[in-house]
Amino acid sequence: MEINLIRKNNKFNFEAQNPSGQTVELDAKPEIGGEGKGFRPMEMLLVGLGGCSGIDVVNVLTKQKEPLNDVKINIKATRKDEEMPPIFDVINIHFDLYGPLNVQKVERALALTFEKYCSVSNILERSATLNFTYEIHQ
């Protein structure tokens, strides 16, 4: 895995590119001169968590032949602002799942995601408390 970043201005705006050519912009917080031209690095960690866990949940439910029509993920996190560096303290991730889904299979998919498959959650839970919730919308 390789990611390359280039600086886009004379401040803190960077563009990251993966080997497939997709890009995402990053920027610093305004308090130190960021200009709002991209995600902040800690936000990118939460994006990674949402993407990793979302992919895993969809994959497990698909393998279980569950009729998942859609999924939306909301992540809220707090940081240990009194520490340096101010790492995440608590991360709450909520899944809104759409379709006539079996509750037991959804719970199994979420358990497998966070206990076994999602490497991003495995890394983050070493320093933060991760909580996940879900709601099924028929």
Side-chain angles (χ1 to χ4, degrees), residues 9-132:
N9 64 11
N10 291 341
K11 296 198 177 207
F12 304 102
N13 183 219
F14 285 84
E15 179 181 85
Q17 183 176 41
N18 69 8
S20 300
Q22 286 89 16
T23 61
V24 64
E25 289 198 42
L26 295 102
D27 204 347
K29 59 185 176 181
E31 295 82 5
I32 66 166
E35 299 176 325
K37 293 183 177 181
F39 282 89
R40 294 184 6 211
M42 293 297 281
E43 293 171 336
M44 287 300 298
L45 284 175
L46 298 179
V47 169
L49 173 62
C52 182
S53 61
I55 288 167
D56 290 337
V57 166
V58 169
N59 190 35
V60 173
L61 289 173
T62 299
K63 287 180 179 178
Q64 294 175 336
K65 301 195 184 320
E66 280 298 287
L68 178 65
N69 297 326
D70 200 5
V71 60
K72 294 180 182 175
I73 303 167
N74 175 269
I75 303 172
K76 294 179 181 169
T78 58
R79 293 173 71 177
K80 298 178 184 178
D81 290 326
E82 67 283 353
E83 293 182 9
M84 271 303 162
I87 62 173
F88 289 121
D89 181 22
V90 177
I91 302 170
N92 296 309
I93 181 167
H94 178 79
F95 294 82
D96 283 302
L97 303 160
Y98 296 83
L101 303 166
N102 178 290
V103 172
Q104 289 79 20
K105 289 185 177 183
V106 166
E107 290 178 355
R108 178 74 176 141
L110 288 165
L112 284 169
T113 293
F114 288 101
E115 294 169 11
K116 185 174 182 180
Y117 296 125
C118 181
S119 51
V120 177
S121 70
N122 187 283
I123 291 168
L124 289 172
E125 72 183 3
R126 295 175 191 198
S127 60
T129 300
L130 263 67
N131 303 305
F132 68 87

